[in-house]
Amino acid sequence: MFTRRRAAALATVAALAAAGTLAAVPGAVADDAGPWPGTEGKILNDGGLLVDPATGQTSTIPNVGSYATWAPDGSRVLSVSGQISSVLPNGTKKITLPWAQGLRSSAPYEDLTFWNGGRYVVFASGGQLAYGPSDASWAPGPLLPANLEPATVCDSEPSVNVNGLVAFERRAGSCNAAAGVYFYDAGTKTVKLALADAEQPAWSPDGTKLAFVRKDTDGNPQIFTANADGTDVKQLTTGPRRYAAPSWSPTGKRILFDAHTSPNSDDVHTVEYVDTTSGELTAVTGATQSTHVGNPSWQPLRKNSTGRVWGANAYLTATASSRWTWNTPA
């Protein structure tokens, strides 16, 4: 009997070594970190604050900075403390990416996410998108070709779906201009507008929907969702509070976000989530931040799978196991 473990793309550095040798942006590749949907683990916020939503108990992961986020399989935590690095959930085995090369500015790194099952890291810096290997085997560089990301635009807030499509926030002219959500397809080298008057996109786990932020008629940022093609726009939050940094739960049934009352940066921030079906809001006990907007994310717990593969003898068993993951013929 042979067993197949759909292991974490980031479980070890060795598992990523081959991906790190690629020198060019790959095309759209499906996320292979495990079966969908995942199950919900603990909630992470900046600084390594970890909250068990079932009990309200909190702890802190060492060596975690800002823009903290989980790997697609929940095996590592990515964040920024000057440079970009990732650690195991206990704060050990730190991997630090080299400083990026070829960017148009030396601005700080922000808005981190994983790409292609955890093989790459995508981030923003000075209004430009960049990417690099999560195993730190070579220095990050620009994600978009120069003709698709001229200096006249300000790009940020990347989010990647299971098919490798990058959604991001773009502002034309300056980083203070009106925002829209755009898609970048690395396979076709194209950028297109997905949603006008929208920012901070976040893909659902199955890649079919987007959560995003849009201001209501009172000027308060609210959480919305839409289909991947921009249709069926729905507003999930209302009222005088202000919401930011949406992030889906691994099940796709809830959306986490930062919530606060005042537009001032020194307001106290809490973490809440909304049920995408009922619209019910729930505050996460213990997940209070101060002085800045947090970036809450839900740990995905992805299960390995086991199956039986055999043949009439040792040779035919080896043949059957080698063919197990082949596509089914039409």
Side-chain angles (χ1 to χ4, degrees), residues 259-283:
H260 61 121
T261 303
S262 167
N264 299 324
S265 62
D266 59 353
D267 185 27
V268 174
H269 294 254
T270 59
V271 174
E272 299 180 10
Y273 60 84
V274 60
D275 187 291
T276 57
T277 301
S278 67
E280 180 182 0
L281 285 173
T282 301

Side-chain angles (χ1 to χ4, degrees), residues 298-324:
W298 221 310
Q299 182 183 22
L301 301 177
R302 312 282 282 278
K303 296 180 180 180
N304 293 325
S305 60
T306 302
R308 290 180 178 271
V309 183
W310 68 90
N313 54 48
Y315 298 105
L316 293 178
T317 297
T319 300
S321 64
S322 70
R323 292 177 175 175
W324 187 33

Side-chain angles (χ1 to χ4, degrees), residues 126-311:
Q128 186 176 11
L129 300 183
Y131 90 108
S134 55
D135 70 345
S137 58
W138 43 270
L143 173 66
L144 275 62
N147 65 309
L148 297 180
E149 194 177 39
T152 54
V153 300
C154 182
D155 293 343
S156 62
E157 303 284 353
S159 177
V160 183
N161 75 0
V162 293
N163 297 314
L165 193 65
V166 182
F168 63 97
E169 175 186 311
R170 169 166 284 186
R171 300 171 186 265
S174 76
C175 292
N176 296 319
V181 171
Y182 288 73
F183 291 161
Y184 172 58
D185 187 326
T188 61
K189 298 291 191 297
T190 56
V191 169
K192 69 175 183 178
L193 176 67
L195 290 161
D197 185 26
E199 55 190 87
Q200 299 180 36
W203 283 109
S204 62
D206 62 3
T208 64
K209 291 185 177 294
L210 281 168
F212 62 96
V213 174
R214 175 182 285 170
K215 290 183 179 179
D216 61 16
T217 55
D218 294 325
N220 295 318
Q222 305 287 351
I223 304 298
F224 290 74
T225 60
N227 292 333
D229 61 3
T231 62
D232 194 27
V233 174
K234 295 179 180 179
Q235 183 174 343
L236 297 186
T237 61
T238 59
R241 304 191 72 201
R242 306 170 70 86
Y243 302 98
S247 174
W248 293 77
S249 76
T251 63
K253 297 179 179 179
R254 302 177 179 89
I255 298 175
L256 275 173
F257 44 80
D258 178 279
H260 61 121
T261 303
S262 167
N264 299 324
S265 62
D266 59 353
D267 185 27
V268 174
H269 294 254
T270 59
V271 174
E272 299 180 10
Y273 60 84
V274 60
D275 187 291
T276 57
T277 301
S278 67
E280 180 182 0
L281 285 173
T282 301
V284 179
T285 302
T288 301
Q289 296 276 347
S290 61
T291 72
H292 72 285
V293 176
N295 293 275
S297 60
W298 221 310
Q299 182 183 22
L301 301 177
R302 312 282 282 278
K303 296 180 180 180
N304 293 325
S305 60
T306 302
R308 290 180 178 271
V309 183
W310 68 90

Side-chain angles (χ1 to χ4, degrees), residues 50-72:
L50 202 61
V51 181
D52 185 336
T55 64
Q57 294 183 339
T58 63
S59 58
T60 301
I61 302 176
N63 300 314
V64 174
S66 57
Y67 302 102
T69 189
W70 293 101

Side-chain angles (χ1 to χ4, degrees), residues 70-86:
W70 293 101
D73 65 344
S75 67
R76 295 188 74 88
V77 175
L78 188 70
S79 67
V80 177
S81 293
Q83 287 175 265
I84 297 171
S85 63
S86 69

